[in-house]
Amino acid sequence: MNKVGMISLGCPKNQVDAEMMLSRLLGDGFEIVGEAEKADIVIVNTCGFIESAKKEAIETILEVAQLKKEGMIKAVVVTGCLAQRYSQQVADEFPEVDGVVGIGANGEIADICRKVMADKKVCAFPSKMCLPLEGGRILTTPSHYAYLKIAEGCSNCCSYCAIPQIRGKFRSREMQSIIEEARELASQGVKEIIVVAQDTTKYGLDLYGKLRLPELLRALCQIDGIEWIRLLYCYPESITDKLIETMAAESKICHYIDIPMQHCQSAILEKMNRKGSRQELTQLINKLRNRIPDIIIRTTFIVGFPGETEEDFSALCDFTQEMCFERYGCFAYSPEEGTPAAKMPDQIDEDIKQERARILNAQQDGIFEWQAQELKGKILTVIVDGYDEDEMLYLGRSYMDAPDIDTAVIISTEEELNAGERVRVKIIGALDCDLVGELVTES
């Protein structure tokens, strides 16, 4: 029996693709192993979204290719966004790679692995629309939480983004299929569902002619075993009053929302081919906080976009200071070949972009520190993610934090806790951006 190892890079949506490929491989007689060195075939499921992601993908391919040179593994297959976007380059520049396949070939991954094990080179790039949207999965997350991908692709065509080229147009999954998958996840012990798509709030528009995320969420809330439902990647222009009311009314939906805003200046947003303005964003944030007072808003911004003036950047700093976002990410603009923004005039010097990112991140760090102090003495419900054996401390998250991208709650206790268990924790301080708390023993 051939052994397969999977290294999946990039976003949770790509991780779901990897989990579906693993399920197909297992069902086709392959053995799945957790360490690349113990595999016969290693699949590198790549990200190719921005320059840093491409660099990570290339470094990973080279590391796995070295294992093959040393005779530790027999074959290497490269899949995912980098392979889709740079198919010929990957095939030409990495002769050690045995298979380079696009996302449309994910459903044929077992056949591809059999071919490379028979010493056949494989380059396969079916239509992006052939990417399977549903099917079995082998979870690579801890057993108590899972990502639930409700749509594929994107039709927004932001001027800086290559996702529509790589992944194709936005296409929603059938609602019943999503609900059935969530039920299956719950039966496996999953307690937290993290809803993802490239633009989660557009769910249903292409398939049903209207936005149906609120309806989907209400159905997911009816599933026994699911305790938390979390929303990522919600574009601001599609956050409707109906969605806000659903979040406020349904107790299983975490009062947490990820809204990629990217900028606040209308001129920059227009160049980005994004909707909205500072006034509209402010109105949305205020509406969310008024209706759901304990809501946690995560956002991301791009600095150094072509044509961004010092005045534009200063306005963005003022906006983020005024809004006091609870969770936040800032990225220096990365010109991606094949995108309209890469050809725009007034490109910003790299040193200026990095300095602007540093300034904005430093400002936000101060906001985080203040917010952490405000939580001191409060009792939070925390889901246990695992145990740090080196520090002999448990790590968990409150409703305020998504896994991997946000902060953690460090739990001090001599009691034995289980992953997925929900406990009460009194916050006693902060360590960097993480909260530190003591387990509250119920009397």
Side-chain angles (χ1 to χ4, degrees), residues 62-116:
L62 290 172
E63 289 170 4
V64 174
Q66 185 62 34
L67 294 178
K68 181 184 173 185
K69 286 181 181 178
E70 294 171 1
M72 298 182 72
I73 64 174
K74 297 176 183 176
V76 182
V77 175
V78 178
T79 65
C81 290
L82 187 81
Q84 179 69 41
R85 189 177 182 187
Y86 300 104
S87 53
Q88 196 58 51
Q89 293 96 312
V90 174
D92 292 345
E93 294 177 22
F94 300 99
E96 310 95 329
V97 171
D98 304 278
V100 183
V101 298
I103 62 172
N106 283 10
E108 308 302 320
I109 193 65
D111 287 339
I112 290 163
C113 285
R114 276 195 294 270
K115 287 176 181 177
V116 299

Side-chain angles (χ1 to χ4, degrees), residues 243-251 253 255 291-292:
L243 176 58
I244 296 171
E245 289 303 316
T246 301
M247 292 184 67
E250 295 287 353
S251 61
I253 301 177
H255 289 175
R291 185 64 185 88
I292 312 172

Side-chain angles (χ1 to χ4, degrees), residues 36-260:
E37 294 83 356
K38 296 180 179 179
D40 298 310
I41 312 164
V42 174
I43 300 169
V44 183
N45 188 37
T46 59
C47 177
F49 180 41
I50 56 176
E51 193 60 39
S52 59
K54 288 184 281 186
K55 183 178 179 183
E56 181 187 25
I58 290 168
E59 289 173 352
T60 304
I61 294 168
L62 290 172
E63 289 170 4
V64 174
Q66 185 62 34
L67 294 178
K68 181 184 173 185
K69 286 181 181 178
E70 294 171 1
M72 298 182 72
I73 64 174
K74 297 176 183 176
V76 182
V77 175
V78 178
T79 65
C81 290
L82 187 81
Q84 179 69 41
R85 189 177 182 187
Y86 300 104
S87 53
Q88 196 58 51
Q89 293 96 312
V90 174
D92 292 345
E93 294 177 22
F94 300 99
E96 310 95 329
V97 171
D98 304 278
V100 183
V101 298
I103 62 172
N106 283 10
E108 308 302 320
I109 193 65
D111 287 339
I112 290 163
C113 285
R114 276 195 294 270
K115 287 176 181 177
V116 299
M117 287 302 293
D119 295 326
K120 296 178 181 178
K121 283 272 188 179
V122 178
C123 287
F125 296 90
S127 167
K128 305 176 185 73
M129 302 302 163
C130 294
L131 174 71
L133 299 187
E134 50 259 320
R137 292 164 60 186
I138 295 178
L139 296 183
T140 55
T141 53
S143 60
H144 59 282
Y145 71 81
Y147 297 101
L148 183 63
K149 186 161 72 166
I150 63 173
E152 178 54 59
C154 188
S155 299
N156 290 330
C157 298
C158 299
S159 65
Y160 54 82
C161 182
I163 291 297
Q165 302 171 27
I166 300 169
R167 290 274 173 175
K169 66 181 182 180
F170 186 85
R171 49 206 187 275
S172 301
R173 290 177 57 187
E174 293 280 352
M175 187 177 295
Q176 191 56 42
S177 170
I178 298 170
I179 294 167
E180 288 171 3
E181 181 177 352
R183 287 194 184 116
E184 174 60 28
L185 292 171
S187 74
Q188 296 174 28
V190 170
K191 297 181 178 180
E192 179 182 3
I193 292 285
I194 305 166
V195 179
V196 296
Q198 192 63 32
D199 181 354
T200 307
T201 36
K202 287 289 196 309
Y203 174 74
L205 187 61
D206 59 313
L207 199 58
Y208 303 112
K210 61 179 180 178
L211 302 174
R212 293 192 68 180
L213 181 59
E215 183 179 342
L216 173 63
L217 291 173
R218 287 194 297 273
L220 294 175
C221 288
Q222 302 306 309
I223 298 174
D224 291 339
I226 300 300
E227 298 176 358
W228 280 358
I229 298 171
R230 188 181 300 277
L231 291 175
L232 298 186
Y233 318 127
C234 299
Y235 278 50
E237 65 270 18
S238 300
I239 298 175
T240 61
D241 289 347
K242 190 174 182 181
L243 176 58
I244 296 171
E245 289 303 316
T246 301
M247 292 184 67
E250 295 287 353
S251 61
K252 288 186 179 183
I253 301 177
C254 293
H255 289 175
Y256 172 107
I257 188 167
D258 175 280
I259 310 173

